[in-house]
Amino acid sequence: MRSQLARKPANTYHHGDLRDALVKAALREAEQGGAEAISIKALAKQLGVSQPAPYRHFADREALLAAVTAEAFRQLSAILREAMAGTSKQSKLSRLAQATLEFGLRRNGIYRLMFASRTVACADRGSELHEATRETFSLVIEALEAPAVGYLRERQALKIWAALHGVVMLAEQGLFTGEAAHATREELVEDFVSETKAALAAAIKGARRRKATDT
């Protein structure tokens, strides 16, 4: 007797599968055109599901963008961790900085979704996206390889984070070629790394000297 087991159609999803499929498909769209390229209607059609189906997992387009951006930050964090764990003679901060630059230049659509949209700014504290961004920034602090003295590490981490994003965004807009400074983008990033480490070391030394004087 032939089995009567029905086969699952290729374009149907178990509970939870569609959410993941939507996030992955949206990431692919963002690779090409940033946040503006993501359309729930187009994604539903691409995945072969009804137009209402995505709304079982995401209340609206903004909710989908938040989930996609959180996944993008998790991917960046994984890349940065791998870079920091490398065995080259470069410092952890140098490896992290160069990996960030490469990510921004190679995956610019995703990068713009992460850093040039209002998605992160609108994320609630404690949300999936908020936690993903905090995790990424914590790696910048870790890469400094310095003791915690007040908020000196956090301040320097924020400075180099802003500088790195400035280079990526200028390069993406065609406004930075390095010709004016006779330096490549990679060389400029190394300058940021050296200046950051020197500034942090000096700030920590000064703070400890003041503490010793006060006591």
Side-chain angles (χ1 to χ4, degrees), residues 75 78 122 142 158 173:
Q75 290 184 11
C122 295
E142 179 185 337
L158 190 57
Q173 295 295 327

Side-chain angles (χ1 to χ4, degrees), residues 93 137 140-141 144 151-163 192-193 195-204:
L93 185 60
F137 187 66
V140 185
I141 298 172
L144 288 168
Y151 292 97
L152 295 178
R153 291 185 311 179
E154 289 77 5
R155 186 168 184 173
Q156 291 301 325
L158 190 57
K159 284 182 179 181
I160 193 168
W161 201 224
F192 290 149
V193 169
E195 291 163 6
T196 297
K197 291 181 74 69
L200 180 56
I204 290 174

